[in-house]
């Protein structure tokens, strides 16, 4: 009797220690938000007080990258910690469409799957865009709960929608037939997009409150500011930057709601929150295309504006307020999340991310390796330290064929963040080093079966 009581007490202590040791993890992912679209990244016209406060209290990255220039590959890389070429989640169709047969392969290990193994509650809220067929859906990829859209909000346009409606300032709110889905079941079609951000946020707040006594992983992938642009009545017409600014300001409000909930519930000190975007701004959408600030080009391209995005990490008391210029990417979040959650890394899988814990919690520099920029399944560019070489270039949209460069173009991103002055002729030694890094990387890449055909 006594013995079993002791065992029980030890088990209780162990379980509460485990929960204390396993921080909650929240990833907030904007869609097509540009490098220059937040106050804390220099936007003069869009007000983002909650994200600005998050940045002031946490760690703001100046050189944070999404792992792809468009949506589906970028999401696959975030959730698996691998360049999309390895999972096959990239290709000439660029993203998944409602009639695509492929999706994130079931054998890929996602953050949600790994953390669930160690006792985390897992939820996906918002856009998915990693496949609609069995094996690839949120419920098949480790998420116990899921509420959101299966793909982009401009897909599945309804018959009779006028040409150009996607980027128009006042599109019909039921112009797209995209469904709102809860745990695999359609609950509304077409989804009323004007209240999506609000409803996603309510869902997130409820989930956090319900999980107070258990570690949780929340993947909160917003639908906006992807076109067609909508905002709730409370935000419509309020920003200086038109409906795009309204949508971003509502997104900022949403981040504020999530952080306030964590503070109120006493969870802030044991919850890592990361905010970032899936790719750069969709510049061809004009007023509704956002801004990459001083970076060149936007969504769809491997120029900096296509892949360098806002990145903020927040965990009061654990992460000291600061700014880092080191190069990191969404793929690092996979490795970091698994390490924090006490999950073992998947076996026989090549991972491309690193554990950011020393940087986040001890302000230590991490060794900086090369970073590779893919467009579809093609390696277009490589960054090593402050240097970036382009082997091919192509604007995000509107340029049918890439320009090949031999010798490659070379830019110094410290002195020339806008990639205006090609200095390849003066730095043959740098180019040789980068070419060596590319060769070593490519020798280790086994492309996954293409999913985006
Ligand atoms: Mg996107």
């Amino acid at each position: 009797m006594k013995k079993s009581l002791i065992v029980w007490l030890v088990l209780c202590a162990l379980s509460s220690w485990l929960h204390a040791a396993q921080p909650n993890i929240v990833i907030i992912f904007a869609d097509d938000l540009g490098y220059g679209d937040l106050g804390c990244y220099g936007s003069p016209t869009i007000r983002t007080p909650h994200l600005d406060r998050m940045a002031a209290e946490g760690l703001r990255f100046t050189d944070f990258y999404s792992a792809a220039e468009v949506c589906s590959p970028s999401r696959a890389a975030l959730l698996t910690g691998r360049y999309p070429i390895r999972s096959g989640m990239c290709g000439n169709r660029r993203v998944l469409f409602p009639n695509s047969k492929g999706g994130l392969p079931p054998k890929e290990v996602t953050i949600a799957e790994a953390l669930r193994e160690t006792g985390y509650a897992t939820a996906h809220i918002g856009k998915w865009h990693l496949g609609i067929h069995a094996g690839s859906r949120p419920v098949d990829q480790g998420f116990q709960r899921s509420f959101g859209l299966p793909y982009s909000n401009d897909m599945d346009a309804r018959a009779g929608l006028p040409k150009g409606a996607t980027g128009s300032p006042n599109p019909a709110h039921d112009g797209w037939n995209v469904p709102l889905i809860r745990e695999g079941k359609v609950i509304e079609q077409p989804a009323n997009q004007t209240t999506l951000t609000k409803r996603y946020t309510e869902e997130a707040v409820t989930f956090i409150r319900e999980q107070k006594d258990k570690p949780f992983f929340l993947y909160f992938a917003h639908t906006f500011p992807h076109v067609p642009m909508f905002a709730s009545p409370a935000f419509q017409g309020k920003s200086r930057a038109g409906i795009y600014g309204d949508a971003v300001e509502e997104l900022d409000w949403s981040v504020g709601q999530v952080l306030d909930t964590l503070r109120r519930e006493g969870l802030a000190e044991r919850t890592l929150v990361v905010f970032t975007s899936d790719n750069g701004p969709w510049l061809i959408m004009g007023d509704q295309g956002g801004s990459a600030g001083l970076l060149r080009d936007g969504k769809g391209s491997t120029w900096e504006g296509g892949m360098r995005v806002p990145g903020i990490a927040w965990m009061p008391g654990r992460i000291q307020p600061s700014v880092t210029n080191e190069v990191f990417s969404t793929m690092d979040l996979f490795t970091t999340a698994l390490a924090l959650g006490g999950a073992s890394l998947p076996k026989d899988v090549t991972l491309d991310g690193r554990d950011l814990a020393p940087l986040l919690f001890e302000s230590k520099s991490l060794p900086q390796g090369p970073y590779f920029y893919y467009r579809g399944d093609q390696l277009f560019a490589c960054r090593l330290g402050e240097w970036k070489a382009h082997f091919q270039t192509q604007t995000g949209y509107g340029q049918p064929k890439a320009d090949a460069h031999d010798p490659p173009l070379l830019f110094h991103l410290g002195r020339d963040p806008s990639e205006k002055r090609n200095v390849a002729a003066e730095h043959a030694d740098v180019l040789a080093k980068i070419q060596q890094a590319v060769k070593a990387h490519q020798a280790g890449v086994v492309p996954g079966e293409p999913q985006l055909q």
Side-chain angles (χ1 to χ4, degrees):
M1 188 67 185
K2 247 186 189 168
K3 211 170 164 189
S4 63
L5 184 70
I6 292 169
V7 169
W8 182 77
L9 284 171
V10 168
L11 282 177
C12 283
L14 198 67
S15 124
S16 78
W17 174 81
L18 262 178
H19 284 170
Q22 290 179 303
N24 308 309
I25 297 166
V26 177
I27 296 177
I28 306 178
F29 211 36
D31 194 353
D32 295 3
L33 179 79
Y35 188 78
D37 285 328
L38 304 181
C40 50
Y41 280 84
S43 172
T45 51
I46 303 176
R47 293 164 302 184
T48 53
H50 300 287
L51 280 157
D52 299 351
R53 180 180 169 191
M54 181 185 176
E57 292 175 355
L59 179 63
R60 187 172 71 83
F61 295 80
T62 61
D63 294 52
F64 194 80
Y65 290 90
S66 66
E69 76 311 351
V70 287
C71 187
S72 300
S74 168
R75 282 150 210 269
L78 168 82
L79 288 181
T80 63
R82 287 147 61 76
Y83 284 110
I85 183 83
R86 300 193 199 275
S87 58
M89 287 295 289
C90 58
N92 50 11
R93 240 185 140 193
R94 308 199 81 179
V95 298
L96 289 167
F97 286 86
N99 63 359
S100 295
K101 301 262 185 304
L104 188 64
K107 67 168 192 251
E108 291 293 325
V109 178
T110 66
I111 301 178
E113 284 171 319
L115 291 182
R116 229 171 115 172
E117 294 278 306
T118 62
Y120 275 67
T122 57
H124 152 259
I125 295 172
K127 174 175 170 176
W128 181 241
H129 215 179
L130 289 170
I132 55 175
H133 304 293
S136 301
R137 302 164 304 175
V139 288
D140 307 316
Q141 291 285 358
F143 291 99
Q144 291 162 303
R145 287 173 58 173
S146 172
F147 176 76
L149 307 188
Y151 33 70
S152 298
N153 59 332
D154 64 333
M155 291 179 171
D156 216 354
R158 303 181 88 183
L161 196 69
K163 205 170 176 282
T166 303
S168 74
N170 284 304
H173 79 268
D174 59 352
W176 292 265
N177 204 29
V178 60
L180 180 63
I181 296 177
R182 184 187 290 284
E183 277 98 58
K185 289 199 181 67
V186 174
I187 57 167
E188 185 179 298
Q189 189 167 21
N192 181 349
Q193 298 200 35
T194 49
T195 52
L196 268 187
T197 300
K198 189 165 174 281
R199 288 187 284 169
Y200 287 168
T201 306
E202 286 162 0
E203 191 77 14
V205 167
T206 304
F207 174 74
I208 292 169
R209 283 198 185 130
E210 285 173 8
Q211 305 305 324
K212 275 203 313 197
D213 304 318
K214 196 178 183 196
F216 63 82
F217 169 54
L218 169 61
Y219 170 50
F220 189 173
H222 280 275
T223 283
F224 301 109
H226 190 291
V227 292
M229 211 67 63
F230 294 98
S232 298
F235 290 87
Q236 284 168 21
K238 296 286 159 65
S239 106
R240 285 177 65 199
I243 182 70
Y244 183 88
D246 297 344
V248 175
E249 290 188 1
E250 184 165 15
L251 189 84
D252 176 72
W253 163 84
S254 170
V255 172
Q257 293 292 303
V258 169
L259 300 189
D260 280 349
T261 304
L262 292 170
R263 288 187 191 102
R264 264 201 305 273
E265 301 293 338
L267 297 171
E269 284 75 20
R270 51 191 173 103
T271 305
L272 170 66
V273 184
V274 176
F275 176 89
T276 187
S277 176
D278 70 333
N279 48 248
W282 205 353
L283 298 177
I284 55 164
M285 293 297 163
D287 277 2
Q288 295 189 49
S291 164
L294 82 177
L295 304 180
R296 183 162 172 178
D297 212 311
K299 172 177 176 174
S301 119
T302 50
W303 293 106
E304 286 299 284
M307 291 173 63
R308 204 198 294 189
V309 286
I312 306 168
W314 181 90
M315 194 175 185
R318 291 288 310 279
I319 295 179
Q320 295 309 309
S322 133
V323 175
T324 179
N325 305 131
E326 291 182 36
V327 177
F328 295 104
S329 85
T330 51
M331 294 181 292
D332 298 317
L333 302 179
F334 177 92
T335 316
T336 307
L338 268 61
L340 285 175
S344 43
L345 295 175
K347 296 218 166 40
D348 305 320
V349 168
T350 308
L351 295 172
D352 296 299
R354 291 159 300 164
D355 179 6
L356 298 184
L359 172 85
L360 296 177
F361 307 125
E362 298 163 60
S363 305
K364 279 189 188 151
S365 287
L366 288 175
Q368 294 283 302
Y371 189 72
F372 304 100
Y373 304 66
Y374 279 85
R375 179 178 175 125
D377 55 9
Q378 300 285 307
L379 192 151
F380 266 44
C382 171
R383 175 171 180 175
L384 193 60
E386 294 283 28
W387 298 99
K388 179 177 174 186
H390 292 264
F391 305 93
Q392 299 184 64
T393 53
Q394 190 171 3
T395 55
Y397 293 84
Q399 180 186 339
K401 254 192 96 187
D403 295 323
H405 303 287
D406 188 15
L409 308 178
L410 184 72
F411 299 93
H412 187 280
L413 295 176
R415 295 190 281 268
D416 179 20
S418 307
E419 300 173 280
K420 284 179 180 155
R421 295 180 293 279
N422 174 22
V423 290
E426 297 106 84
H427 298 282
D429 54 326
V430 175
L431 274 181
K433 262 192 213 152
I434 292 181
Q435 274 162 324
Q436 218 170 25
V438 168
K439 223 170 146 186
H441 165 72
Q442 288 183 317
V445 170
V446 181
E449 196 188 322
Q451 299 295 320
L452 310 188
Q453 306 307 348

